[in-house]
Amino acid sequence: MSMYKIKPISGGEIQIDLPTCMYKLPDIHCHRSGSDHAQDQSGKVDPALKALEARQDDIMKRLYELKATVDGLSKTITTPDADIDVTSMVQDTPSMALTGTASLDSLLGKDYGALRDIVINANPSQPPLSLLVLYSLLCERYKVLSAVHVHSSVSSVPAHLLKCFGEQVNHNYSRHDFQLGFTLIWKDVPKPQMKFNIQNMCPIEGEGNIARFLFSLLGQAQDVLTATLVDSWVDAAMFQLVEGSNKEKATALRSLNGALGRTPWLVGSDLTLADIVTWCAVLQSGSAAAVPANVQKWMKCCENLPHFRSAYKLLK
């Protein structure tokens, strides 16, 4: 029961059209067919906007031209990411080729005259002697542009390591005058690391593995048996003489002495990568003063070669 009633003051249902927006304004952007320019209501193009579009078109055209230029340079100059954060730099004397018929194009493929850059990171507390010996051998076959850098992760480097490629001499030369770039960066790394072509190959780690790659650039053909023996000696040198226990080092030296009792070099009658890496491993292991007779004679033969003498000086 209602309290009271009131007669309705309006008749029928009232339809109310509710608004969909707060308020409306006339459209100030009027477009003509086939035109992207903003115009006012009279149909005229804003001069400032037209000038801005012209400027943007000019900038885009210059950017495309610059990109085309950079793409063209990248086909002739390929420099790997050396991860160089240097605090000091030493540029060495360019090493000129002497003799040899090895061709980098035949070994690595045609690269249309571009300089092949080899960048090696190494710890100055453990100089990679075998790589320096191989550098000297490469200088006899190719025109090598060498350089030494110091990474900011290393506080100081001995002067003789900064000059491991020779005395610094200023020369006016172009990268295109050389066939091979050899850059050594003294850096705080656990093992030597090499970067050669960042686009087509991954970095190589370990002195023995890097030595294998560098020796292959000398273009010396080997049969399967010789290559297998060389690899076995390289592995023994790195894993037993350098990284092994005292017992493993003694075992490796006995095997070395027995092999050198039969042949003047480790694999046959010629110097191979096995001799280079193993000689350096004996020096790095600290066992050079107490090696057997055959090993001692072999080490003296190595030290009489000029390529070994330059690396041997770094230990003094």
Side-chain angles (χ1 to χ4, degrees):
M1 182 177 179
S2 60
M3 186 174 180
Y4 55 86
K5 293 183 178 181
I6 300 177
K7 294 181 179 181
I9 59 176
S10 61
E13 296 293 336
I14 300 176
Q15 298 294 332
I16 302 176
D17 186 12
L18 298 177
T20 57
C21 63
M22 184 177 293
Y23 54 86
K24 293 183 178 181
L25 290 176
D27 187 6
I28 62 173
H29 300 287
C30 181
H31 298 275
R32 289 183 180 178
S33 60
S35 176
D36 294 332
H37 295 292
Q39 303 171 336
D40 56 20
Q41 293 181 350
S42 62
K44 294 182 180 180
V45 179
D46 187 353
L49 181 59
K50 189 174 182 179
L52 182 62
E53 287 188 350
R55 181 184 176 189
Q56 181 181 1
D57 292 341
D58 182 63
I59 292 175
M60 293 302 297
K61 180 180 179 181
R62 293 168 60 187
L63 286 175
Y64 282 124
E65 292 176 352
L66 181 61
K67 182 179 182 298
T69 303
V70 173
D71 290 341
L73 290 174
S74 65
K75 295 179 180 179
T76 57
I77 301 177
T78 55
T79 303
D81 176 15
D83 190 21
I84 299 178
D85 179 12
V86 299
T87 54
S88 62
M89 180 182 298
V90 177
Q91 183 68 40
D92 186 50
T93 307
S95 303
M96 306 304 293
L98 297 178
T99 58
T101 58
S103 170
L104 284 177
D105 288 339
S106 64
L107 296 172
L108 302 175
K110 190 70 174 177
D111 206 9
Y112 303 100
L115 177 68
R116 276 102 165 171
D117 278 296
I118 295 174
V119 181
I120 297 175
N121 296 325
N123 198 315
S125 63
Q126 298 175 337
L129 300 181
S130 64
L131 307 187
L132 299 178
V133 175
L134 290 167
Y135 160 78
S136 180
L137 291 171
L138 288 172
C139 289
E140 289 190 348
R141 294 187 177 268
Y142 306 108
K143 297 178 181 179
V144 182
L145 174 62
S146 58
V148 179
H149 303 294
V150 179
H151 194 270
S152 60
S153 61
V154 177
S155 58
S156 63
V157 176
H160 65 281
L161 293 182
L162 294 176
K163 299 178 181 179
C164 58
F165 293 152
E167 294 291 337
Q168 178 182 1
V169 180
N170 294 324
H171 284 275
N172 294 324
Y173 53 84
S174 171
R175 287 171 58 89
H176 292 285
D177 296 333
F178 301 91
Q179 299 170 283
L180 195 64
F182 200 103
T183 302
L184 178 61
I185 304 174
W186 295 117
K187 183 179 179 181
D188 186 13
V189 290
K191 291 183 178 181
Q193 303 168 347
M194 190 197 82
K195 297 179 181 179
F196 175 67
N197 189 329
I198 59 174
Q199 296 177 346
N200 299 326
M201 64 182 291
C202 62
I204 299 176
E205 185 173 286
E207 184 175 346
N209 295 327
I210 299 175
R212 288 184 174 98
F213 176 82
L214 296 180
F215 190 80
S216 68
L217 299 181
L218 296 175
Q220 295 186 4
Q222 293 179 336
D223 56 43
V224 176
L225 179 59
T226 301
T228 302
L229 291 174
V230 169
D231 276 338
S232 65
W233 279 115
V234 171
D235 287 339
M238 302 311 301
F239 296 123
Q240 291 183 279
L241 287 174
V242 177
E243 302 176 3
S245 62
N246 291 335
K247 183 177 180 179
E248 289 174 325
K249 292 179 181 179
T251 301
L253 287 175
R254 285 196 297 269
S255 300
L256 189 63
N257 188 62
L260 292 172
R262 297 186 294 270
T263 57
W265 302 103
L266 286 178
V267 182
S269 58
D270 296 321
L271 176 73
T272 64
L273 178 63
D275 299 285
I276 297 173
V277 175
T278 305
W279 176 82
C280 298
V282 172
L283 293 178
Q284 292 170 337
S285 67
S287 306
V291 295
N294 293 331
V295 178
Q296 187 176 9
K297 179 182 178 181
W298 164 78
M299 291 191 67
K300 289 182 179 179
C301 292
C302 293
E303 293 166 10
N304 289 331
L305 298 176
H307 313 296
F308 289 83
R309 284 200 297 266
S310 59
Y312 185 69
K313 293 179 181 178
L314 299 179
L315 295 177
K316 295 182 178 181

